[in-house]
Amino acid sequence: MSVPAKAERPMTDAEIVEAYLTASMIPDPDAAAAYMKPGTVITFTGGREFDHPRGPTGFNANRYRWVKKKMDRFDVCPGTDETIVYSVGMLYGEWMDGTPFEGNRYVDRFVVRGGQIVKMDVWNDSAERILVQRGIEA
């Protein structure tokens, strides 16, 4: 007698967000896009809008040699038809000149509906750190 395979449970909304972020850090924007509804608007730092994870990946390639996220926590706010998931943590990596950095705060806000990300907003302290590097106290 064989034992039936255990059914896999669907991913939670926080797990969908974590999987998206993990793929985007490889960076593998096409794998990341699998967690998003096509045409999802990603509002990146400075109000830049992209409709695919390739947008932020390309932008980051001009700002950092490499960058990763230390995901400290996920704050989940369930609603009737959608869930808001905040990923909060720190960025670390290297600036384009090769200078390492860490402890750069970030907050990403996701709207998840029907098992897919349908909106993403990104905030971090990189611009502030660049200003300080250049001796500008704003």
Side-chain angles (χ1 to χ4, degrees):
M1 178 171 158
S2 65
V3 177
K6 188 174 185 178
E8 282 193 42
R9 66 168 176 76
M11 294 174 77
T12 68
D13 293 335
E15 289 169 338
I16 290 166
V17 167
E18 183 175 17
Y20 168 86
L21 291 172
T22 299
S24 69
M25 284 190 291
I26 291 174
D28 187 343
D30 291 324
Y35 299 97
M36 291 190 142
K37 184 175 180 178
T40 291
V41 174
I42 302 167
T43 306
F44 211 62
T45 57
R48 295 165 187 88
E49 289 190 352
F50 304 105
D51 64 359
H52 191 280
R54 283 187 295 268
T57 298
F59 177 81
N60 282 340
N62 292 317
R63 181 174 274 191
Y64 313 103
R65 275 197 183 168
W66 63 272
V67 63
K68 304 288 182 203
K69 291 183 176 181
K70 179 182 174 289
M71 296 176 261
D72 290 332
R73 72 176 195 267
F74 295 93
D75 297 336
V76 180
C77 307
T80 304
D81 298 322
E82 63 188 26
T83 302
I84 308 301
V85 179
Y86 292 91
S87 174
V88 180
M90 300 288 177
L91 300 176
Y92 63 97
E94 280 186 16
W95 298 112
M96 290 303 287
D97 67 1
T99 304
F101 69 89
E102 63 183 358
N104 182 343
R105 300 177 309 161
Y106 83 85
V107 175
D108 293 342
R109 180 186 183 272
F110 295 85
V111 178
V112 181
R113 194 177 301 135
Q116 290 185 299
I117 296 165
V118 298
K119 182 160 180 38
M120 178 183 180
D121 295 288
V122 176
W123 297 275
N124 65 55
D125 286 339
S126 292
E128 292 293 320
R129 288 173 168 243
I130 291 169
L131 289 172
V132 170
Q133 274 183 333
R134 295 187 178 168
I136 299 169
E137 299 257 350

